[in-house]
Structure formats: C-alpha cells, structure tokens
Amino acid sequence: MPNQSPTSANKPSKKRFWRKGRIIKYSVILILLALIFSFSPLVIPTSNLTPSQAAQARSGAAKILKPLMSSREDVSISVTADHLEAISNAVSYTVPAVQLRLNSSSYGILIASSLTTIPGVLYVNFSCWLMPDFNGTMTFSQCKLGSLPVPGKLIEYFAKGLARLLFGEEALTTLNNILSNTQLENNQVVVRFKKPGNLKAAVEQRLTDTFKMVQDLRQINGVETETIQTYLDYIQSHSERTATTAEMIGKTFLLAKTRSASEDPTDENFAALWALAMSFGAPDFARIVAMPVDYSLMQPKKYVLRGRMDLRLHFFYSVALRLASEKQMSINIGKLKEVMDSAKGGSGYSFRDLTADKAGVELADFAISSDSNARRVQEVLAGIDSESQFIPLLHDLPEGLSEETFASVFGSESDPRYQEMEARIDNRIQALPVYANDTPQRQQAITTATYDRPVKAGQITQSGNWYQVDTHTHTRFSDGRFSITQLAENASKFGCDAVAITDHGDHNLKGVFSAEYWQDFANASSQFSDLTLIAGLEWNIPPFAGREHMTLLFPESVNHDRLISLFRDRYDHYGKTKSTTIDESQALEWLNSQFKGSETPPVVMYNHPSRKDLEPGENAHDMQKWRSQTPYVIGFSGAPGHQKKRGEDNGSYNNRFKTRHGWDPAVAIPGNDWDTLLQAGLQTFAARAPSDFHNTRMDYWPCEFSTTHVYASSRRTNDLLNGFASGIYWAQHGKFVASLSAQVQNDNGQTLAQAGNVIDSPRLPLTAKLSVTLNEKDWQGFKTSLDEVTAVIVTENGVQTEVFFPDSQRREHSFEIRLPANANITAVRWFGRSIQPEQHHYQFFTNPVMIHWQTK
C-alpha cells in the first residue's frame, strides 16, 4: 500500500471543518431570525382612530414641533401620556405596516413597535425603555429586537447616528439636550433647554440634501428634474390661456402623449403629475424631488375642482402623496385629515373631500403603474376639458359630520355602514372613463316606474279635462308672507283649478302642520269650493342639508295629515344629520313600502334643479339614482318660480347656472340633463312651471304668469296626482297658449301615444304631431304670437332638433316630423316661444313621448 502524503491526508478533515463551519454559521443565522421574527405582533394593529384621538395627536405634535422649530432659543415642551399615546395611534393608523406605541409613566417612556413583514403571518417586534439614570439623563434600557436583547448603548448610538445623518449636527445636539433635560412630572413629559442655532433652517436644508441624495439613487423613478421643469414651464406658459383645471390637465397630458412617442410614458406621466401637483397643490412639493421651491408656480383660485378650491387641493395633495409614497399610506393620510376635521372645532368629516383624495391617489397610481396604463391615461386625458374623466361627481355625498354624528351614523371605519359608503366612492372612481373598459356596455332602458311601461292605444282616449295646477307655493307658516286662505283667494282669482301648499320641512318651522295650519287649510278649502287645495311639503332631500328641494304630494286619505308629518319628522334633512338622513335611501324606501299597491301614487318632483348646482350632469346623476330606488320621483321643474326677478338672478339662480328665458338650463338647452335621461331610456317629466310663491316682491301669484296644465278625470287630489304620474301635462309662461296636443301617429292617422306616454312599436314609419291654439290675449292683455317651435328628437345615439317658424299672425298651428326608427329608443318633445320686446320670451314645453322600437 503506497504511503499517503500529509497534504492528501488532511483534505477530508478540512472539508469536514468547513461543513461544520457552515452548519454553525447557518444555525446562528436561523437562531437570530427566530429570535428577531415573531408570528404575532407585540403592538395590536390600529384599525380605527377616533376624532378625539386625532385631535389629541395633532395637539401633541404641535406641542413638540413648534418649540423645536421656532426661532426662540429657549425650548419648553410639555406633553401628557395621552398625547404620546394619541401620536402613536395616529402613526399606526397612517402607516399600517408600522404599529407604534408610546406610553409614559413615572418609571419612564416605553417605546414599542411592530413591523409587518408578511401581513397576518410574520412580524418584527421592538421594545425599549427610556429611563432616567442617576444623573437624570434619559437612557435606553431593557431593549429587545424580537426576543433578542439589545444593549441600550447600541440603540442610543444608532439613534444619534441617524439624527446626524438625516438632519445634521444641530439635530444631534438637540437630541442630546432632550435626553439630558427630560423630566417625568405628574403624568407629563417635560423638556426644557436652550436650542443651538437655527434648527428649522438646518433641518430644511438637510431634508433637501437628503431628498436629493435619495432621488439621485432612485433617479426620481427614472425621471430627471429637467423633465419636470419642462412640464412646469409648459403649465406656466399656458395658464393665462386656460380657463379650467380640467383643461390644464388636458393640455399637460397632451404634451405627455406627444413626448411619449420617443420617451417612456410612465416617466412622462410621473413628471407631468409632479408638475401639476406643484402648480395646483403646493410649490413646496418641489423639495421632495430635490428642486428649488418657486411659489410663483401656484395657480390662482379660479382653478377649482367640482366647483371648490378645497377639493382641488385635496386632489393634487393626494397625487403628490402617491408619487412620493405607497398607495394605502396616501389614502390613510387623507382619512386621518377627515378624522381630525370631525373633532370639536373642525369642519367635520367630509366624504366629498375623501372622494377627491382617493381620486387623486388613484390617478397617480394608475398613471405610473405600467406602460399600457400610462398610455391609456394619456389617451383619455389628452386635450380634455371635462373633470368627469378623472374625478366623479361628489355633490351628493355627506360632509360636515361632527364626531358625535359620525359615530351615530357610521360607527367607525370598521363598521359595515362606513365600508359601504367607501365602496360606493370606490365604485364611482373605477367607473370613470380613465379606468373603465374601452367599450362600455350601453345602458339599458330603465323601466322601474309604472308610467314608464308601454300603454295601449285604448288607454289614451280616457275621458278627462285639462286643469291648471300650481304644485309649489309657500305661506306664512314657513317663509311665505300670506296665509293659506289669502293664497287660495288669489290662486282662484288667476284661474288655478288646484294649488299645492308646499311649505318647507325645516324642523325649526313650528307652524308647518300645526293645529293652526290645518285650521287655515280647512277654512280656505271651505271658502273656495272651486279650488282644490293639496297639503304637500317642500322636502329638504338628504344629504344636501337644505341645498336641494323636492315637492312631495301624498294622495288624499284618512291618515294623510299623520303620514306627511311623520315623513317630515323622520326624513327632512335640514340642520342636524341623523341616521335616517345620511342619504335619500331610507326615505324613498319608506315611500315604497307605505304606498305599495296604492291606486294613487305619491308624486315627488325635483324643484329648481340647477339653481345651486356646481357642475354639469348633477341633475341627471341625481335623477337616475333616485329613480333606481322608487317610481314616485317623476321628474323636475322645467321652470323655477321667482319669475318677477327678471335679471341675472331670474328664478333666484345666483350661482353658476342661469335660466334661459325663465326655464332651467337642464330643460331649456337641447342635449342637457333632461335629454341625457331620455337617452338612457328613463322617461322623465319636466313640463312643469310652478310659481314657488313666497311674496309679491319676487313672485307672481299662482297661475298669474306660470301655469302647468294637467289632464285628469277630475280636479280631485287623487285624480290630479294620477294625471301627473301619467306625464300628461304641459307648462308655459305668459298664458299665450290656450291649448296644445302632442301626439305620435302611424301612417293610418291612428294616435298611438300622447305626450307623457311610453309605447312599444314595430319599426314602421311614425309621425310626431303638435297642435297649438293660442289665446287671443296673453297674461298682460297683449296680442299673442307663436314665433318659433322646436322638436327635440332623442335617441341613444344622440340629440337632434328641428326648428319651425310659423306664421305669427295665426292662432291655430300644426307641426309634423317623421321619427327615426334606426335606434332602440326614440323620444320626442316640443317647445315653442313667443318673442317679447323685453327679450325675455314666453315659452311652452311638453313632456316627451318615448318609443321602444321592437326588434322583431
């Protein structure tokens, strides 16, 4: 056997040695990991933050930061244990992955934290005490990382090194002063010392340097500051020639789309959004991307979102937050702001603000998430001038909720009621064009209302008469000047066959539905037997808190008085919000259950729809939502009251939208909200012109100037309500029309429908006909004329008009148009006008006939 060399003999033992070394090394690593990581958190996650805790956190943070950042040399800080606990709760709420607890006592300050590494599975826990030593200096002791003890000196070295690295020598000196001069007194942490230099300036400069270093490492998500500056310069150069925020967003993304032909689209969107956030949110965001702050970038207050400056700020602050951090953290910061606002002295919790926050976060997140999404954002937003592409309508969401109201209505953020509201907001955002599918499903015809269902030819020949009815008046029992009897006297004098008393539902109006009210109502009914009086209500519909009103008319019954009073007490939203007025749903459900199977339905009509609107489309949005819940909301006022106001404030329209010759723009302008509803297949009635009578200073008496003509079997209350529910009514100003008839006929001359009807029809030629007979004299005694008539033809594909110019010398007029059968739905309505010297013309409007074309 040959002899083995010493070298070859040692090789196996050397391998065994290295194997043992690896085993020991890996075993040590595994033991350390087992000691550091845990399957349960030390700090229980914070899912909810109460307004009181948020306010306490804000107060505590201010008590700490203001003295440190002030220009004064002497620093005096005093915070309670409650302050520290609230601050830790706020941090945990905002950054869910990091749960923090700060508890103080006479023994010391406990710092505990749990970092989530795998949600619900794996955590890194840390705890440490800050305790005074024999010299009174606060020292770190009893520190643990997981189950692994860590020397306090090591934690102190790490904390001081981090302070110096991030904020400079001034911050390190300040930390040393805090540790040396902290005292625990009567459940308070008190710190007093003299501050070196200008800590605020040093911190700001260090933050700028730190952001620059971080962004250099990250390369600002691949985007150079020069690119952001390109977009900033572009926004500045176009601001004077741009009217709205949406238009500026459209121009900015048009530039992004153009540049993305040769550049990365996500980088372009990133730069464009940063530039928009600095220009419309805060120039200070420049610090985050290591750019100089230029306060001249801030765009003026004329640029709003959804009609409000604060919503613009919410939106663009949230854009910046998402660009600088993670999506959920950005959303949580917005929620934290609302929780703070609901505390005492705040503006209240606002789901409208939260919607703007979420819309901003979602846009920023989606626009930089992938190349395909980035290009989709550019394609949708390039050149737009409408906000509806990127932020939903939010006017109907509750806001101004105090801590008490929020708790009673929504409980907390973990409550199903809150989660349902948040899901509603999320659904609206996801339905926006920028996120929705390229080829959205065409909306089907909505036929929830009984009067939406097709009629048969024999149903339109029922006997009846035309009656003049004013469906919206007020008396001294709310904010009117006259009694019910005085109102009835003048309504009868000017030719009304019926008038509805619709005093406001405001809870502070004690006279409405009082014993005196009902006595006055009974006296007027008895005294004017030729006039039908209807006891109705002008309902402050939730959640608008008095901004939006609806006329509510109940059918006559033995318990009518009790029912309408009960409805007002439960569901009128004027003043304090409660669980029954957080939105309209409970009120409408009550109507559905109360009048199910009733021969006569209640009638609910939206008053002066555009008077206080901030954005186009609000009326169509609201009507679709209401009608999806009940068949009893039949439409809205075509013309508001207050017609004595003949200037810019006609109808008391003092906000964005103005009337057109006395009629609401939702009705008067073809293609506006009324026609949007018809395009969706929702038969909606708007040929209504009430007086909204309050006094003779701004109003004409009922039926003096504005008249609504309804076809009914009698002027009894229930017959009139059935007439309104059928939609067979028309309206005018100036009393220049004596009668009119709007019908649809086939080629055999058979009348298939009249205004207000819905019919099914095979795809055969049909003709819409309008017959008008003028009065000899108008309401002022002048000779009448009909100078222009317009037919509005609505299909799901668009809106067309055909204009006629009749012989103004004639009193009898007739007009015809052929209806297109190349659609699923066709609706036709008419309006006409008598030109007046004052250029405030008299007009009439009819309700539409709707045709569902049969496919076979």
Side-chain angles (χ1 to χ4, degrees):
M1 186 174 181
N3 293 330
Q4 292 180 333
S5 67
T7 303
S8 61
N10 290 336
K11 283 183 178 179
S13 61
K14 196 170 185 179
K15 285 185 178 179
R16 284 194 297 271
F17 173 79
W18 282 110
R19 286 173 183 166
K20 288 180 181 178
R22 287 176 182 169
I23 291 172
I24 293 171
K25 180 173 66 174
Y26 292 146
S27 296
V28 170
I29 292 173
L30 288 174
I31 291 171
L32 287 174
L33 290 176
L35 290 171
I36 292 172
F37 288 92
S38 175
F39 293 110
S40 60
L42 175 65
V43 180
I44 303 301
T46 298
S47 58
N48 297 311
L49 186 71
T50 68
S52 298
Q53 290 172 330
Q56 190 86 306
R58 178 165 54 186
S59 172
K63 286 177 178 289
I64 295 170
L65 293 176
K66 282 185 178 180
L68 289 175
M69 296 301 167
S70 73
S71 58
R72 298 180 60 183
E73 183 182 39
D74 292 327
V75 174
S76 179
I77 299 172
S78 177
V79 292
T80 66
D82 290 340
H83 283 130
L84 295 178
E85 183 180 1
I87 290 171
S88 61
N89 285 338
V91 171
S92 302
Y93 173 87
T94 306
V95 190
V98 179
Q99 296 296 304
L100 175 67
R101 285 296 177 272
L102 300 173
N103 293 326
S104 69
S105 66
S106 57
Y107 184 63
I109 301 172
L110 173 63
I111 305 170
S113 178
S114 293
L115 173 66
T116 303
T117 56
I118 302 176
V121 178
L122 205 59
Y123 304 87
V124 175
N125 296 319
F126 171 79
S127 64
C128 200
W129 279 91
L130 264 176
M131 303 168 58
D133 62 12
F134 293 109
N135 298 319
T137 300
M138 301 296 285
T139 59
F140 294 91
S141 63
Q142 301 180 31
C143 301
K144 286 186 177 182
L145 184 61
S147 301
L148 181 68
V150 180
K153 282 293 182 183
L154 181 61
I155 299 298
E156 182 178 340
Y157 178 81
F158 176 78
K160 290 180 178 180
L162 192 63
R164 173 187 284 170
L165 175 66
L166 295 179
F167 306 118
E169 291 295 333
E170 290 86 353
L172 175 60
T173 303
T174 299
L175 178 58
N176 284 326
N177 281 329
I178 290 174
L179 293 176
S180 301
N181 296 279
T182 296
Q183 296 179 342
L184 304 175
E185 303 174 354
N186 301 322
N187 199 35
Q188 287 190 326
V189 178
V190 180
V191 185
R192 296 186 182 91
F193 65 93
K194 289 188 179 296
K195 184 173 56 180
N198 190 337
L199 179 63
K200 181 180 179 182
V203 169
E204 287 181 348
Q205 182 58 49
R206 198 69 175 196
L207 280 174
T208 300
D209 295 341
T210 301
F211 281 133
K212 182 171 177 54
M213 178 184 68
V214 172
Q215 300 302 354
D216 285 343
L217 293 173
R218 293 177 58 205
Q219 294 185 338
I220 313 181
N221 205 25
V223 181
E224 306 245 348
T225 55
E226 289 81 359
T227 307
I228 298 176
Q229 190 62 52
T230 297
Y231 284 96
L232 286 171
D233 294 341
Y234 181 84
I235 291 171
Q236 287 293 93
S237 65
H238 285 75
S239 61
E240 292 186 2
R241 303 190 301 275
T242 304
T244 66
T245 307
E247 189 180 346
M248 182 59 79
I249 288 176
K251 289 181 177 180
T252 304
F253 275 95
L254 182 59
L255 175 62
K257 181 181 177 181
T258 302
R259 287 174 55 89
S260 294
S262 58
E263 304 291 342
D264 185 289
T266 57
D267 287 350
E268 293 302 316
N269 288 356
F270 196 87
L273 288 168
W274 268 123
L276 287 166
M278 293 178 206
S279 302
F280 292 91
D284 296 276
F285 291 142
R287 300 181 196 277
I288 301 177
V289 290
M291 293 178 68
V293 177
D294 182 359
Y295 291 103
S296 68
L297 294 174
M298 190 66 170
Q299 296 300 309
K301 292 183 179 180
K302 74 169 186 176
Y303 293 108
V304 295
L305 278 180
R306 292 304 182 202
R308 288 169 37 176
M309 175 66 177
D310 65 318
L311 294 177
R312 166 192 139 182
L313 296 178
H314 275 274
F315 182 86
F316 285 106
Y317 270 63
S318 298
V319 166
L321 285 170
R322 173 59 192 95
L323 295 176
S325 63
E326 299 304 315
K327 181 177 181 179
Q328 191 57 52
M329 184 189 301
S330 305
I331 292 172
N332 286 352
I333 291 173
K335 288 183 177 181
L336 177 62
K337 167 70 166 56
E338 296 312 313
V339 173
M340 288 182 172
D341 283 346
S342 65
K344 186 176 181 180
S347 58
Y349 198 106
S350 171
F351 285 98
R352 300 179 198 180
D353 291 352
L354 183 60
T355 302
D357 292 334
K358 286 196 157 202
V361 170
E362 189 64 31
L363 178 62
D365 185 74
F366 190 77
I368 63 174
S369 58
S370 67
D371 280 5
S372 60
N373 288 345
R375 293 191 185 278
R376 174 174 177 81
V377 169
Q378 293 172 1
E379 192 66 34
V380 174
L381 298 187
I384 64 165
D385 59 7
S386 170
E387 298 173 7
S388 296
Q389 304 295 318
F390 59 88
I391 184 171
L393 288 171
L394 40 73
H395 65 287
D396 59 334
L397 298 174
E399 67 174 353
L401 306 177
S402 66
E403 178 178 4
E404 178 185 1
T405 301
F406 182 90
S408 67
V409 175
F410 291 104
S412 67
E413 290 183 21
S414 59
D415 192 293
R417 294 171 294 176
Y418 180 91
Q419 293 171 353
E420 181 183 355
M421 178 63 72
E422 190 171 12
R424 186 189 306 178
I425 291 170
D426 292 339
N427 290 338
R428 288 191 187 185
I429 293 173
Q430 290 306 314
L432 293 168
V434 72
Y435 312 116
N437 294 331
D438 288 327
T439 54
Q441 294 285 327
R442 176 173 290 159
Q443 185 171 357
Q444 298 297 311
I446 303 170
T447 55
T448 56
T450 55
Y451 39 82
D452 276 353
R453 300 195 177 110
V455 300
K456 298 178 180 179
Q459 293 177 297
I460 66 172
T461 59
Q462 295 175 349
S463 61
N465 293 294
W466 289 97
Y467 297 96
Q468 294 186 47
V469 183
D470 193 326
T471 55
H472 185 188
T473 67
H474 297 271
T475 71
R476 65 179 183 84
F477 292 102
S478 60
D479 59 346
R481 181 179 178 184
F482 298 95
S483 67
I484 298 175
T485 300
Q486 290 171 312
L487 185 73
E489 178 184 4
N490 284 278
S492 178
K493 171 185 173 182
F494 287 107
C496 281
D497 297 297
V499 62
I501 310 300
T502 54
D503 280 310
H504 293 283
D506 307 14
H507 295 299
N508 62 329
L509 299 173
K510 304 303 182 183
V512 178
F513 303 146
S514 64
E516 185 183 1
Y517 172 97
W518 290 116
Q519 185 60 55
D520 192 6
F521 187 90
N523 292 341
S525 298
S526 174
Q527 186 173 345
F528 301 97
S529 58
D530 61 341
L531 179 71
T532 299
L533 285 180
I534 304 171
L537 175 72
E538 184 163 30
W539 173 33
N540 295 296
I541 184 170
F544 297 104
R547 192 194 101 165
E548 303 296 342
H549 302 158
M550 302 185 88
T551 283
L552 181 66
L553 305 177
F554 281 3
E556 199 169 41
S557 66
V558 293
N559 59 354
H560 170 277
D561 302 355
R562 183 184 65 82
L563 286 178
I564 200 166
S565 295
L566 176 64
F567 183 91
R568 176 200 179 200
D569 292 341
R570 285 187 183 177
Y571 304 114
D572 191 88
H573 190 213
Y574 183 86
K576 186 177 180 180
T577 299
K578 52 188 178 181
S579 60
T580 57
T581 59
I582 199 63
D583 61 25
E584 75 291 334
S585 60
Q586 294 187 56
L588 299 182
E589 177 56 34
W590 185 88
L591 290 176
N592 291 339
S593 62
Q594 190 66 43
F595 293 98
K596 183 178 181 180
S598 173
E599 291 185 5
T600 301
V603 168
V604 186
M605 294 178 277
Y606 185 21
N607 295 334
H608 37 72
S610 301
R611 179 184 291 179
K612 295 185 178 180
D613 283 2
L614 297 175
E615 291 297 314
E618 289 185 11
N619 299 316
H621 168 90
D622 294 337
M623 188 62 64
Q624 286 178 313
K625 186 173 67 163
W626 299 330
R627 285 285 294 277
S628 70
Q629 299 175 75
T630 184
Y632 303 135
V633 179
I634 67 170
F636 41 79
S637 288
H642 307 326
Q643 288 297 324
K644 270 192 178 179
K645 293 183 171 183
R646 306 302 277 178
E648 281 292 304
D649 63 343
N650 175 250
S652 293
Y653 278 44
N654 297 314
N655 294 292
R656 177 176 180 181
F657 298 103
K658 305 297 182 182
T659 61
R660 295 289 186 95
H661 300 293
W663 292 75
D664 192 287
V667 172
I669 302 174
N672 217 331
D673 287 337
W674 192 7
D675 295 329
T676 297
L677 293 165
L678 298 176
Q679 282 189 284
L682 189 63
Q683 175 67 309
T684 307
F685 308 139
R688 172 178 172 237
S691 67
D692 194 3
F693 183 83
H694 286 72
N695 55 62
T696 55
R697 178 180 54 82
M698 63 180 181
D699 304 313
Y700 296 109
W701 287 104
C703 299
E704 181 182 5
F705 175 75
S706 305
T707 52
T708 303
H709 305 254
V710 60
Y711 190 78
S713 56
S714 81
R715 62 174 178 82
R716 290 177 56 249
T717 295
N718 289 5
D719 291 334
L720 293 172
L721 295 191
N722 284 325
F724 277 110
S726 73
I728 307 175
Y729 59 94
W730 59 276
Q732 66 171 324
H733 283 161
K735 289 189 169 182
F736 70 107
V737 176
S739 64
L740 65 76
S741 173
Q743 301 177 338
V744 168
Q745 297 180 349
N746 60 21
D747 279 356
N748 296 324
Q750 181 186 12
T751 298
L752 304 179
Q754 57 185 323
N757 290 156
V758 178
I759 61 171
D760 283 340
S761 175
R763 295 184 183 275
L764 298 174
L766 295 181
T767 299
K769 292 189 175 183
L770 175 70
S771 299
V772 180
T773 300
L774 301 183
N775 282 317
E776 187 173 347
K777 304 289 185 181
D778 67 17
W779 73 292
Q780 291 180 305
F782 297 112
K783 183 181 178 180
T784 59
S785 66
L786 181 60
D787 301 293
E788 186 179 298
V789 170
T790 301
V792 182
I793 305 99
V794 182
T795 70
E796 71 269 25
N797 302 316
V799 179
Q800 297 178 325
T801 59
E802 187 165 338
V803 182
F804 302 85
F805 298 96
D807 182 354
S808 61
Q809 301 302 312
R810 297 174 55 191
R811 290 185 57 204
E812 303 280 344
H813 299 272
S814 183
F815 310 92
E816 295 184 4
I817 55 168
R818 298 292 274 184
L819 297 177
N822 59 345
N824 295 319
I825 297 168
T826 298
V828 57
R829 62 183 183 87
W830 300 82
F831 67 93
R833 64 174 176 167
S834 174
I835 295 176
Q836 301 299 306
E838 61 169 330
Q839 295 300 306
H840 195 102
H841 309 313
Y842 305 153
Q843 295 189 105
F844 71 78
F845 282 78
T846 75
N847 279 324
V849 174
M850 180 170 285
I851 304 163
H852 294 170
W853 298 104
Q854 297 171 344
T855 56
K856 293 183 181 180

